[in-house]
């Protein structure tokens, strides 16, 4: 039986292959006068590609061959022995990932054609998420689902994008700091709302709705607080 909550990581991997092809063309560039790697809009699309691959490592097949491993790891982080006794709903994970990447990613890239700092906003998610994987890996000394792509792709791509924003676009530190702050707020709301659901303070519909709206708040933070100062 088709269950979107279980197949979306594989659909995302297929979308990643198409996106990879498009990134090799001029379709996703905002300025043909500069190299792709210096184009914030192109980098936002590249960030989305990176996150689609990361999602497959988390929720498809991880580096150790386990399937949908992240759900079990999230359950253990909240003190449950495993998925069987865990109240973390699959719809929550789907709402988080589809909203934060499939919707937020294209929105930041398209808006970034007029306001480059909004293209930068997408990196609020992968940059902060990388530390969410690195922290447990260092403290426990073990691999977690998503760690490989977080280290190999998220960290260098995010740092390069911040460099481009500062040096090529001369946006200043405001949008970079706002982007990082937005990522921290987004992850805090994500985990806080899940804790509230597990404690019985909110229902499933509210939990999932928060995840759908959460990326919009991150975009608003960068739009309002990350606007570069006039030259």
């Amino acid at each position: 039986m088709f269950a979107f909550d279980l197949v979306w990581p594989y659909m995302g991997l297929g979308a990643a292959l198409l996106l990879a092809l498009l990134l090799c063309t001029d379709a996703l560039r905002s300025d043909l006068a500069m190299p792709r790697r210096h184009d914030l809009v192109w980098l936002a699309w590249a960030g989305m590609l990176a996150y689609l691959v990361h999602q497959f490592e988390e929720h498809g097949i991880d580096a150790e061959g386990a399937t949908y491993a992240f759900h079990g790891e999230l359950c253990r982080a909240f003190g449950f022995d495993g998925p069987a006794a865990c109240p973390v709903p699959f719809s929550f994970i789907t709402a988080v990932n589809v909203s934060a990447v499939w919707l937020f990613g294209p929105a930041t890239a398209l808006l970034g054609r007029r306001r480059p700092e909004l293209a930068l906003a997408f990196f609020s998610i992968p940059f902060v998420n990388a530390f969410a994987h690195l922290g447990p890996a260092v403290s426990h000394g073990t691999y977690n689902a998503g760690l490989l792509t977080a280290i190999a792709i998220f960290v260098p791509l995010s740092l390069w994008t911040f460099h481009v924003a500062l040096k090529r676009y001369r946006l200043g530190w405001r949008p970079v700091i706002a982007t990082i702050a937005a990522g921290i707020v987004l992850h805090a709301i994500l985990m806080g709302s899940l804790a509230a659901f597990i404690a019985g303070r909110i229902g499933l519909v509210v939990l999932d709705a928060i995840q759908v709206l959460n990326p919009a708040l991150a975009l608003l933070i960068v739009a309002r607080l990350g606007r570069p100062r006039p030259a």
Side-chain angles (χ1 to χ4, degrees), residues 6-211:
L6 298 179
V7 303
W8 68 261
Y10 298 87
M11 296 169 63
L13 187 62
L17 295 174
L18 175 60
L19 187 54
L21 293 175
L22 289 173
L23 284 167
C24 295
T25 72
D26 293 336
L28 303 181
R29 298 171 67 181
S30 65
D31 188 346
L32 300 181
M34 69 173 73
R36 289 180 176 84
R37 66 183 184 277
H38 291 158
D39 185 338
L40 279 180
V41 170
W42 187 90
L43 286 169
W45 288 111
M48 183 178 172
L49 168 61
Y51 218 111
L52 289 169
V53 176
H54 176 74
Q55 286 178 329
F56 188 78
E57 184 189 358
E58 284 186 322
H59 310 291
I61 303 173
D62 72 9
E64 295 181 334
T67 58
Y68 217 89
F70 185 82
H71 182 260
E73 293 175 358
L74 185 59
C75 291
R76 287 187 287 274
F78 276 90
F80 298 97
D81 292 335
C86 179
V88 176
F90 285 100
S91 64
F92 162 79
I93 293 177
T94 302
V96 168
N97 284 275
V98 171
S99 300
V101 180
W102 296 20
L103 301 179
F104 185 56
T108 59
L110 294 172
L111 291 170
R113 289 181 175 272
R114 286 190 163 217
R115 289 184 57 183
E117 73 274 13
L118 298 184
L120 185 67
F122 179 72
F123 289 87
S124 61
I125 300 178
F127 183 71
V128 175
N129 184 262
F131 291 94
H133 287 280
L134 288 168
V138 172
S139 62
H140 299 297
T142 57
Y143 166 81
N144 59 74
L147 179 65
L148 179 61
T149 44
I151 294 175
I153 307 177
F154 280 2
V155 173
L157 182 58
S158 296
L159 291 177
W160 171 255
T161 303
F162 294 156
H163 170 78
V164 169
L166 291 168
K167 300 299 182 181
R168 173 63 181 79
Y169 283 79
R170 300 188 183 279
L171 296 179
W173 281 100
R174 284 171 60 92
V176 174
I177 294 172
T179 293
I180 296 171
I184 294 172
V185 170
L186 183 146
H187 282 82
I189 292 174
L190 186 157
M191 297 301 288
S193 61
L194 180 57
F197 171 80
I198 292 173
R201 292 194 292 270
I202 62 174
L204 179 59
V205 173
V206 173
L207 174 67
D208 290 347
I210 289 172
Q211 313 322 311

